[in-house]
Every structure is written in C-alpha cells, then in structure tokens.
Amino acid sequence: MDYNWDWGVFFRSTGIGDEIYLDWFVAGFGWTLAVALVGWIIALLLGSLLGVLRTLPNRWLSGIASAYVELFRNVPLLVQLFLWYFLVPDLLPTPLELWFKQDLSPATSAYLSVVVCLGLFTAARVCEQVRTGIQALPRGQTAAAQALGLRSGQIYRQVLLPQAFRIIIPPLTSEFLNIIKNSSVASLIGLMELLAQTRQTAEFTTNLFEAFTLATLIYFTLNMSLMLFMRWIEKKVAVPGLIGGGK
Amino acid sequence: MISIRNVSKWYGDFQVLTDCTTEVRKGEVVVVCGPSGSGKSTLIKCVNALEPFQQGDIEVDGTSLAAPKTDLPKLRARVGMVFQHFELFPHLTVTENLTLAQIKVLGRGKAEATEKGLALLDRVGLAAHAHKHPGQLSGGQQQRVAIARALAMDPVVMLFDEPTSALDPEMVNEVLDVMVQLAQEGMTMMCVTHEMGFARKVADRVIFMDRGNIVEDCATEAFFGDIAARCERARQFLAKILPH
Amino acid sequence: MDFSSIPAALPALWEGMQTTLLLLALGVLGSVLLGTLLAILRLSHNPLLAGIASAYVNYFRSIPLLLVIIWFYFAVPFVLRWITGEDTPVGAFASCLVAFVMFEAAFYCEIVRAGIQSIPHGQMSAAQALGMTYGQSMRLVILPQAFRKMTPLLLQQSIILFQDTSLVYSVGLMDFLNAARSHGDIIGQPHEFLIFAGLVYFVVSFAASQLVKRLQKRLTV
C-alpha cells in the first residue's frame, strides 16, 4: 500500500494566495447551490405552466406541452448542456453573441448556460408531476368550481393547483434533489462547482480518496437534510382529512 | 397425527392464542369454527409453522415444531394446505401449479409429476383445464385446483383455512363435495370453516374458538345435538349461523 | 449548417455507439442482478443485512452519477492494486461499467423491492406450505411474478441509463457522444455533429419509450 492517507489535506495551502483546499470546496458548494436554486425556480414556473397546459381540453396547447416533455426527456442532459453552451450562443443575434462570448466572464457564461439547461430539462419532469397531481383530483372538483361560476384560470389557481401541489410534494422533492445532483454536469463545461473543485483537489494533492469522500459527504448531507425539511413542509401544509393529510 | 399443546401466541402485546391444546388423530376430520378474530385461522397456520408461536409446542406426525432443529420446509411438504384465497401461482399454468413443488421439493421427475398432477386434476373434475392459467378459471375451479395441488404432495394431513368463504355461493358446493369425498376416503383433515352442514356430515369432532381460546372441543353429535350443554358464546354463534 | 460530412463519419460514430450499447447491456445486466440481491436483503428479516442494503441504496441515491463515474475512474486502479498487489491496467470502460453497476443497482433495487411487495403475501405462504424453502419460494414463485409486473419500469430505467451513459464523456471514453464530439472538432463542424448526436439519442429513447408504453398497456389489460 503506497497511499498516504491525510485527512489534514483540506487545511493545507493550495499555493494560491492564502487559500486552503477547504476554500475550494466552499466555493464549489456555493456554485452548486446557485445553479440548483435558480434552475429550480425556472423548472418550477415553466413546469407548472406546462403541466396545466397538458390538462387543458385544447389539443394544440396540450400537444405543445407534450411535445416539449418528449423532446427534453429523450435527449441526454449532457447533450442538452453542450447544445446550450456551444451551439445556442452562435445562433444569437451578433450583439448578444458578442456579449455572451466576450463581455461575460467564462464562469458567468457557463453558469447561464447550465442554469437555463437544467431549468428547461427539469421543467419537463415537473410538468409530468403537476399533470399527474391535477389528474389525481376527483373530477367533481372542476365541476363544482364551474358550478360556482369560477373561470378556468380561477379554477386552476384557487381549486386545482393548491390541492395538486400538496399531493406532489414528495415527487417534486426528489426532482429538486435531482437538480442538485444534475448540477454536477456543469463541471464538464468548466464551471467550478463542487464536483469540479473535488476533481481539481484530487489532481493537485493526489489525496483523491479524501477529496471524493468529502464531496460525497457534502452531497449526502445536503440530500438528507433537504429530504427531512421537505417532509416537514409536507406535514405543515397537509390539509386534515385530505389525501395524505392528518385526521 | 397433530398434537397441539399449550400453544400461546402474541402480536406484540396482543395475545391472539391463549394456551390452546387439542389433538387430531390419524384419519380424523376436525372442524374448527368460531367468530371472526377468534384465532382459528392463526391456529391452523401455526400447525405448519406459517405463523410462529411463542409458547407451547405442536407435533405433526411425530415432529416437534418448537424444536430448533426441525426442517420446516421438509415438514410442510408433508402437510397439505388450502387457503381462503386459493393462492394458485398466477404466472404458471394449472399443470405447472400442480407439478412445481413435486419437482422442486420432492425431486420427482417431470413426467411422473405431470402424471400425478393430471390424475388428481381429473379427480377434482377439471382435467379439461390443464393448460389454462388460474386467472381463466372460476373461484370454485381455482380452489379445486388448489386442493389437487396440495394432494399432489401426498400429504399425511390436510389443512383447510376457510376454503369456501371467498367463493360465490353457487360455487361452494363443488368445493365441499371434493372435501367430503376426501374425508370419506380417510384423509386426516383439520378444517377452519363456517360450513356447518359439512361439519355435521363428515366431522368427527368440532372445536369452537373464541378470543384466542379453545372453548369447546367435542364430538360432532354432542356439539350439534346437545346445544343446551354448550357454553354461552357457542350457543350465540350457532344461533346466528344455523338455519332456523 | 452543413450535414453533408456526417455520412462519411458514420462508421466511426457506429463504433462509438457500439461502446455505448455494450456499456448499456452489461450495465443493465449487472445492476439488475445486484439490485435484485439488494432488494431481497432489504426485505429480509435480518436487521443487519436489511440495514446494510438500505444504507447502500440511500448512499448511492443521494450522490451524482457523474461523481461516481469520475471517482471510480481514479479509484478503481488504486483499489485493484491494493487487492492484487501489482499494477493492473484497467481502462475507462471497466471503471465506468463498475460505476454504472454500483450506482444503478440502487435504483433497480427500489423497483424490484416495490415489485416484490406488490405480490400478495399469501403467495409466499402458499409456496412455503408446499414445502419450498424461502429461497425457492422467492426464485420460483415471487420473483417471476414480480419481474413480470415491473418489466415496464425496468425498461424505463434502462432508457434513462442509455442516456446516462453519455456521462462517460467526462473520463474520455469513446462512446457515441464522445465520438460525435471529437469527429465534429476534427472536421470543424462541431455543431452539426452535436445536433446529429442529440437527434440519434432522441430517436432511440423516444422509440424505446413508446414501445414500453405499449407494453405497459398490454400488461395492464
């Protein structure tokens, strides 16, 4: 065995200023969160809209939403990311293209690409969950709301969506956890998020087991704590007597 | 053949069987009855160790269930069991249902097992259905296949756990007829059932259970003949279940 | 956009696709086997075994696949050297396969577990009442029924795995995506090759998932 275990590696200087390796992990963690959170906001908004469209009687609207889902679900995430990062900027009008390629720092342009990519990718999955949630509601709910004179928009906002979202908290939680994990693909276009920092630490220090163990622990802890947090939220918003609610 | 001695069983804090003791002799037919939740199904499942018990012992054909060395699969292979919900294996054909355990447990050859299985299938009157899947049969037919499946193992005793209570009324008799025939051929049988007509016709003894206790255990003629001598709970039960 | 140079590159791309498909086939095989084993452990009455299996599943479900691929790429040669005591060269293919099998097993485990639990309890009782051991009952009665029920889910997960194989790009394995990328770079048409790669992934995944949907309908009727 010629491997030198050294758990103190994280407190060693990187040789750049007075940085230690732990600082890299902190910075990487920050990027990971920044990608996941903003991507999630896009996914939730767009996904909810698409999910509602899929339940509408209008064939064109539900068809568009369904085509969106098929397209974004059947192309690998990494291919989508490359398309957003390498191809889309070239298709932009020249001033925008120059802004993206020259004015923005490499980190910012990578960040923008990955956020848009993950947001749209995850929206397809959120859409399916929202649709399932709405369709799981008894048909009588829509009828009752219509009988009260509510309009379509009101029915969705006031009656269907508030119930549907409560039902789909668990699958939405796992989609949120997925977006955190998926954000690691950003490392492949040079964004120094958690995985990229881990890989870099492993290569600089040759303490690869320590570096990857720490990264694993961070992902694991983040996942577990978010899961517990979402379970708490689920209980908190549960309606007594409703599906999954208390008595 | 079966000797149950001081068996008690708990689910957590809840006692489902209290100090149950009884005997089923070779060739005897014993009917176990009682209100739902009285522990009769649990007791019969203890006999082939599908349910574990915490106190007492059960001996089947000389083998003690409580003894830690007992090879339970080997013992169960000699005890036939028929379930309330048939429990045929839906992914297998009728023939495969009849031969699977013969081949895998008893080590019989495929030809021998098939021959045996088909003969029994013929005996329960279903020879024409050998190649069907269980889902294509009626409930009564499925239960008759299940009886044939158990018989194919050449059991020394047969256990019946409410074999007719999941059936539509018009199918009850076709299953009871098979059971009566079995009893008349001298099979040792322990049957949990509410079919009092069956009990009167073929049972040697009737056991009445209530809240985990065996409260009556007597000869069939005495059980139905001298109702006044029965305990309060048994009288109430019989009053509800017997035609007036 | 000029797609005229793609036909000439097809043989090379097909070679990449073969790597992708081989990785997929071996990956599915290995991870379904390991996943089934994990599922049986998770459902066993032995709290230690059940605990180990559930820790395994929770662990791999909470970390990114990409991290596992990269970590194993670095770590597998190390581990092998500890075991064998000598330098054993393993390519990216082997380390990626190990990563996929170990990672995906956690997901297949949950599918298989749900499948086993969907089989009524009486089936196990009936099998045991016929004298079968626990292992025989599982193998001959429970698993055949469970696998039938979960075939659509297993296939769906395999379509996801097909797409996930593209992540081996990160360790330089010449799979389909990497073949398309490097060809595009050499010829100077990266966009066209990237679009073509996306299109191929889309057609394969879309067609496969439509077939799965049809199968699902046939199974439920």
Side-chain angles (χ1 to χ4, degrees):
Chain A
M1 249 185 66
D2 50 0
Y3 186 81
N4 293 317
W5 287 96
D6 177 15
W7 291 99
V9 62
F10 304 117
F11 300 100
R12 284 215 307 263
S13 165
T14 60
I16 305 163
D18 51 3
E19 257 181 355
I20 55 174
Y21 284 107
L22 192 61
D23 292 330
W24 287 7
F25 281 85
V26 173
F29 185 65
W31 275 117
T32 292
L33 282 186
V35 169
L37 285 177
V38 178
W40 181 245
I41 293 170
I42 297 173
L44 202 56
L45 291 176
L46 181 60
S48 304
L49 176 70
L50 289 166
V52 168
L53 288 186
R54 282 211 71 173
T55 63
L56 291 180
N58 183 316
R59 276 191 179 194
W60 276 100
L61 292 176
S62 71
I64 288 171
S66 142
Y68 179 96
V69 170
E70 294 298 350
L71 180 64
F72 281 83
R73 266 212 313 210
N74 286 308
V75 177
L77 177 60
L78 187 54
V79 175
Q80 293 188 29
L81 181 62
F82 285 164
L83 288 169
W84 285 109
Y85 186 65
F86 295 114
L87 175 68
V88 171
D90 285 359
L91 303 178
L92 293 172
T94 317
L96 266 179
E97 185 189 343
L98 288 178
W99 170 76
F100 188 87
K101 287 182 175 169
Q102 292 175 359
D103 296 353
L104 293 180
S105 71
T108 314
S109 55
Y111 176 77
L112 282 180
S113 303
V114 77
V115 159
V116 170
C117 169
L118 276 176
L120 299 196
F121 175 83
T122 311
R125 310 172 64 103
V126 171
C127 163
E128 286 305 275
Q129 304 298 352
V130 171
R131 175 180 72 110
T132 315
I134 292 174
Q135 287 176 343
L137 299 174
R139 291 218 167 273
Q141 290 288 308
T142 310
Q146 281 168 336
L148 289 170
L150 295 178
R151 294 172 195 288
S152 285
Q154 293 171 315
I155 295 175
Y156 276 100
R157 268 199 316 278
Q158 312 292 336
V159 179
L160 299 179
L161 286 176
Q163 298 185 57
F165 273 114
R166 284 183 170 85
I167 301 176
I168 61 171
I169 288 176
L172 281 188
T173 305
S174 56
E175 286 309 334
F176 182 52
L177 300 180
N178 279 340
I179 208 173
I180 295 174
K181 287 181 270 174
N182 284 337
S183 70
S184 60
V185 293
S187 65
L188 299 180
I189 56 167
L191 186 68
M192 292 309 284
E193 48 65 76
L194 185 52
L195 180 55
Q197 301 281 13
T198 307
R199 191 172 182 165
Q200 185 169 273
T201 306
E203 280 165 358
F204 273 48
T205 65
T206 68
N207 290 97
L208 75 105
F209 284 96
E210 293 87 337
F212 278 99
T213 305
L214 180 62
T216 300
L217 270 178
I218 294 173
Y219 278 115
F220 185 77
T221 315
L222 184 61
N223 239 275
M224 287 296 156
S225 36
L226 281 171
M227 208 147 70
L228 293 178
F229 175 69
M230 289 311 290
R231 263 190 215 152
W232 178 77
I233 294 268
E234 194 185 355
K235 270 197 196 131
K236 189 111 184 147
V237 300
V239 179
L242 202 73
I243 317 166
K247 295 249 163 79
Chain B
M1 185 61 65
I2 301 173
S3 136
I4 300 171
R5 285 192 300 269
N6 308 105
V7 167
S8 293
K9 174 180 172 66
W10 288 264
Y11 286 126
D13 288 340
F14 181 70
Q15 186 159 15
V16 278
L17 292 177
T18 309
D19 203 23
C20 293
T21 299
T22 190
E23 192 102 13
V24 179
R25 279 176 289 276
K26 192 167 164 45
E28 204 173 23
V29 176
V30 173
V31 161
V32 184
C33 61
S36 62
S38 59
K40 51 195 194 306
S41 277
T42 309
L43 181 67
I44 202 168
K45 282 188 179 135
C46 284
V47 172
N48 64 353
L50 285 180
E51 292 274 0
F53 47 88
Q54 285 82 24
Q55 270 179 25
D57 192 11
I58 298 179
E59 254 183 40
V60 178
D61 200 20
T63 310
S64 154
L65 293 191
K69 275 189 193 158
T70 299
D71 181 350
L72 291 178
K74 205 171 162 188
L75 175 113
R76 290 187 190 122
R78 299 162 60 214
V79 178
M81 180 150 200
V82 176
F83 294 82
Q84 182 177 3
H85 296 286
F86 333 131
E87 304 299 353
L88 293 178
F89 304 135
H91 61 301
L92 303 177
T93 64
V94 167
T95 310
E96 286 165 341
N97 264 282
L98 293 166
T99 56
L100 179 71
Q102 289 191 68
I103 295 169
K104 299 290 177 181
V105 176
L106 300 181
R108 286 180 184 153
K110 197 173 172 209
E112 184 194 356
T114 309
E115 191 185 342
K116 171 116 194 162
L118 291 182
L120 285 163
L121 194 60
D122 190 35
R123 211 177 116 184
V124 297
L126 293 170
H129 302 277
H131 297 293
K132 289 189 179 166
H133 278 86
Q136 297 168 288
L137 302 180
S138 74
Q141 291 172 326
Q142 289 193 48
Q143 193 61 300
R144 279 144 71 198
V145 173
I147 294 173
R149 177 176 74 176
L151 290 174
M153 304 294 285
D154 294 320
V156 294
V157 54
M158 286 284 285
L159 307 176
F160 292 83
D161 182 13
E162 305 208 29
T164 56
S165 54
L167 294 175
D168 291 334
E170 73 270 21
M171 294 173 184
V172 168
N173 279 331
E174 61 187 79
V175 171
L176 287 180
D177 287 346
V178 173
M179 291 170 63
V180 167
Q181 199 193 342
L182 258 184
Q184 285 165 349
E185 285 166 11
M187 174 61 78
T188 312
M189 291 164 64
M190 185 167 175
C191 315
V192 173
T193 182
H194 289 161
E195 296 294 334
M196 290 301 121
F198 170 79
R200 269 194 170 138
K201 198 162 169 187
V202 296
D204 298 297
R205 275 181 25 242
V206 177
I207 290 173
F208 176 79
M209 291 187 70
D210 186 36
R211 290 173 220 163
N213 292 282
I214 293 181
V215 290
E216 296 283 355
D217 184 354
C218 58
T220 308
E221 306 82 57
F223 188 79
F224 293 108
D226 190 7
I227 289 181
R230 306 276 70 85
C231 72
E232 175 70 23
R233 293 284 297 166
R235 281 205 305 274
Q236 285 172 356
F237 178 75
L238 285 172
K240 270 185 214 150
I241 206 162
L242 288 178
H244 299 284
Chain C
M1 291 279 163
D2 172 19
F3 291 90
S4 59
S5 50
I6 285 180
L10 282 181
L13 295 184
W14 171 237
E15 225 166 89
M17 185 52 101
Q18 282 175 320
T19 304
T20 294
L21 292 178
L22 187 64
L23 193 58
L24 173 68
L26 295 177
V28 168
L29 193 72
S31 46
V32 168
L33 283 177
L34 182 57
T36 306
L37 180 70
L38 285 167
I40 291 172
L41 290 184
R42 274 201 84 165
L43 293 170
S44 85
H45 295 295
N46 183 326
L48 181 70
L49 292 180
I52 291 173
S54 103
Y56 180 99
V57 170
N58 282 331
Y59 173 75
F60 277 103
R61 281 170 67 106
S62 56
I63 58 178
L65 173 57
L66 190 56
L67 179 139
V68 181
I69 291 173
I70 295 175
W71 189 1
F72 279 28
Y73 179 68
F74 286 125
V76 167
F78 260 103
V79 173
L80 275 182
R81 194 160 59 203
W82 287 342
I83 297 171
T84 62
E86 53 195 89
D87 275 323
T88 327
V90 275
F93 186 86
S95 82
C96 285
L97 182 58
V98 173
F100 276 117
V101 167
M102 299 206 44
F103 182 84
E104 294 290 334
F107 290 80
Y108 284 112
C109 166
E110 292 304 275
I111 297 175
V112 176
R113 184 170 70 118
I116 292 175
Q117 284 177 324
S118 75
I119 305 301
H121 189 69
Q123 290 284 306
M124 179 55 100
S125 297
Q128 292 193 326
L130 287 167
M132 293 186 212
T133 60
Y134 182 81
Q136 281 178 319
S137 312
M138 250 323 159
R139 202 156 40 82
L140 299 170
V141 175
I142 307 296
L143 285 179
Q145 295 183 55
F147 269 103
R148 210 158 295 209
K149 273 196 183 175
M150 64 207 183
T151 303
L153 279 179
L154 290 176
L155 291 176
Q156 246 155 30
Q157 185 65 32
S158 307
I159 295 173
I160 296 175
L161 180 53
F162 169 67
Q163 297 184 18
D164 282 348
T165 54
S166 61
L167 292 174
V168 302
Y169 169 87
S170 60
V171 294
L173 185 60
M174 265 300 161
D175 73 325
F176 178 64
L177 175 61
N178 210 354
R181 288 269 305 149
S182 57
H183 246 77
D185 281 345
I186 292 167
I187 296 176
Q189 296 178 331
H191 295 344
E192 287 82 349
F193 275 79
L194 191 55
I195 291 173
F196 178 72
L199 203 66
V200 170
Y201 277 111
F202 175 80
V203 169
V204 174
S205 305
F206 182 73
S209 57
Q210 293 303 311
L211 284 178
V212 171
K213 263 185 208 160
R214 235 192 253 173
L215 178 74
Q216 202 163 18
K217 257 185 206 152
R218 232 186 49 199
L219 283 181
T220 47
V221 167

